[in-house]
Amino acid sequence: MDLQAQLEELKKSTQAQLQAIKAENAKELQDLRVKVLGKKGSLTELLKGLKDLPNELRPVVGKQVNEVRDVLTKAFEEQGKILAAAKIQAQLESESLDVTLPGRKISVGNRHVLSQVTEEIEDIFLGMGFQVVDGYEVEQDYYNFERMNLPKDHPARDMQDTFYISEDILLRTHTSPVQARTLDKHDFSKGPLKMISPGRVFRRDTDDATHSHQFHQIEGLVVGKNISMGDLKGTLEMISKKMFGEDRKIRLRPSYFPFTEPSVEVDVSCFKCGGKGCNVCKKTGWIEILGAGMVHPRVLEMAGVDSEEYSGFAFGLGQERIAMLRYGINDIRGFYQGDSRFTEQFK
Ligand SMILES: [Zn+2]
């Protein structure tokens, strides 16, 4: 084949190959351009044959080489544009919005069930004129134990062993130290003290389905003139009704706490069976929900409050216990593991 025919052949075959390149293989265009028009490409290769031609043919074939180069350069450019447009078109089609598809669910977080229970109980007490007081989780032995009538070496300390930071600094075992601190500051000329202190407390306990080394408590304290056991019972009855339903009754059983005298355990009639007996109340019809009592005179005296003139009552309940009863949760550890399958059930 002579040089002119070869040039013509190169033009045609390159054009054919260009047409065959698909949008998804746009890279092949660049490869082909290098192969044909590059410095070591086919056209350059053919150009080398120019020197072997007779003199009179050289300008003619030279002109043809330039024409082929121009035609092919233009063809590459055009095919490049076509492929780019096809790529955009394909992208548009593949990313097109199907308005008939259901939207993706937006996941909105919710308050932890213990926070919900705490806030609910706070609201009940705020409605009864109580103040809500926060305190320290790291406390002095003095406020946590001694001010609760639990001097060093008192046997009842064993029920509330805790984590010690030093001999006198510890993680509080109840929120009672908040009561002691608030009592110290209270100005009785402005009326009785009515407070609750919600918060996290700690015990040296082995974790199992019903015990945890940390849990939550709300303790309450009312101190004023002529505060009696009747006030305690009335207050607890009201709380029980608000938390577990209007038909609830309460029952007091004698108990012992170092900081109250007399002390009682408080049962509420079962909210599930109404007192007939079921699995929630363990067939007794009653559910133990809190401990309470009349503030021990010594606890008042240690705060500088005259126990002849003033009296008061105190109570404590656990948010975990309330939530477990109400929602049928059988393992306390679920509250602390942060598993969204657990926490999302309480939206
Ligand atoms: Zn029951």
Side-chain angles (χ1 to χ4, degrees):
M1 214 189 312
D2 68 17
L3 196 50
Q4 281 169 294
Q6 284 183 52
L7 278 168
E8 196 55 34
E9 172 61 29
L10 178 66
K11 188 172 89 176
K12 281 191 177 147
S13 77
T14 304
Q15 280 169 331
Q17 286 180 71
L18 262 179
Q19 298 293 327
I21 296 174
K22 296 206 171 78
E24 61 265 33
N25 301 321
K27 210 176 115 324
E28 288 175 9
L29 183 89
Q30 186 56 24
D31 295 342
L32 185 62
R33 185 203 290 275
V34 171
K35 209 173 117 194
V36 178
L37 299 176
K39 271 184 189 162
K40 291 174 182 170
S42 320
L43 195 63
T44 314
E45 212 47 49
L46 289 180
L47 214 52
K48 284 178 186 165
L50 216 56
K51 63 180 189 312
D52 303 325
L53 290 177
N55 276 346
E56 68 276 15
L57 256 181
R58 279 187 203 169
V60 180
V61 179
K63 199 178 163 210
Q64 195 194 349
V65 169
N66 286 334
E67 275 169 13
V68 169
R69 179 178 285 128
D70 288 347
V71 166
L72 287 181
T73 302
K74 203 171 260 181
F76 273 105
E77 265 170 33
E78 266 163 25
Q79 187 64 8
K81 281 178 194 162
I82 290 166
L83 291 179
K87 192 181 166 191
I88 289 170
Q89 188 58 34
Q91 214 166 352
L92 283 174
E93 276 164 17
S94 73
E95 291 173 5
S96 68
L97 198 63
D98 181 353
V99 292
T100 65
L101 278 175
R104 276 199 197 123
K105 225 173 160 186
I106 296 168
S107 174
V108 179
N110 59 291
R111 305 283 280 160
H112 192 280
V113 62
L114 291 178
S115 302
Q116 292 179 29
V117 169
T118 303
E119 281 166 15
E120 182 190 330
I121 296 171
E122 283 176 5
D123 282 348
I124 294 171
F125 280 102
L126 285 169
M128 292 162 73
F130 282 62
Q131 52 173 319
V132 179
V133 188
D134 268 334
Y136 309 119
E137 289 177 1
V138 178
E139 255 298 356
Q140 296 173 30
D141 183 288
Y142 172 72
Y143 284 105
N144 191 77
F145 285 129
E146 294 199 28
R147 288 292 298 275
M148 292 302 119
N149 205 19
L150 279 154
K152 286 209 156 71
D153 303 320
H154 191 291
R157 280 198 181 202
D158 288 350
M159 299 190 297
Q160 299 192 8
D161 202 7
T162 184
F163 302 91
Y164 286 85
I165 281 101
S166 69
E167 205 178 314
D168 294 314
I169 308 287
L170 47 76
L171 297 186
R172 68 180 180 188
T173 59
H174 42 200
T175 61
S176 310
V178 187
Q179 273 89 291
R181 289 173 179 277
T182 311
L183 197 53
D184 284 351
K185 283 184 286 190
H186 187 71
D187 179 359
F188 281 95
S189 71
K190 290 181 177 151
L193 169 66
K194 294 164 77 181
M195 65 167 289
I196 57 165
S197 52
R200 190 158 34 177
V201 301
F202 308 84
R203 302 273 169 98
R204 212 207 67 144
D205 230 335
T206 308
D207 293 2
D208 63 23
T210 52
H211 296 85
S212 169
H213 64 278
Q214 64 160 44
F215 53 97
H216 297 76
Q217 243 193 1
I218 294 181
E219 289 192 342
L221 177 69
V222 173
V223 177
K225 286 180 177 165
N226 304 315
I227 304 287
S228 72
M229 197 85 181
D231 297 311
L232 169 63
K233 198 177 175 208
T235 305
L236 297 180
E237 220 156 36
M238 185 147 166
I239 301 159
S240 304
K241 285 178 192 295
K242 294 229 161 138
M243 282 194 312
F244 294 107
E246 278 305 311
D247 301 333
R248 300 282 71 75
K249 293 184 182 68
I250 62 163
R251 157 178 104 168
L252 308 184
R253 284 179 290 114
S255 184
Y256 168 76
F257 302 109
F259 32 86
T260 47
E261 180 58 38
S263 303
V264 289
E265 298 281 357
V266 183
D267 298 336
V268 62
S269 59
C270 181
F271 56 86
K272 193 177 175 194
C273 65
K276 287 188 206 82
C278 70
N279 60 332
V280 172
C281 58
K282 294 179 185 134
K283 313 274 181 225
T284 63
W286 295 94
I287 300 169
E288 186 187 324
I289 53 160
L290 48 84
M294 299 306 291
V295 180
H296 197 294
R298 207 175 296 150
V299 171
L300 294 175
E301 295 292 342
M302 280 190 279
V305 177
D306 184 354
S307 64
E308 297 287 327
E309 201 184 345
Y310 294 93
S311 56
F313 65 80
F315 55 88
L317 54 87
Q319 288 93 309
E320 278 87 347
R321 177 147 176 80
I322 303 290
M324 287 170 90
L325 283 170
R326 194 187 270 173
Y327 302 114
I329 298 163
N330 51 23
D331 194 328
I332 198 171
R333 290 168 290 198
F335 291 117
Y336 319 117
Q337 284 162 345
D339 185 335
S340 58
R341 288 169 301 182
F342 176 88
T343 54
E344 281 174 2
Q345 291 177 57
F346 306 101
K347 275 187 182 168

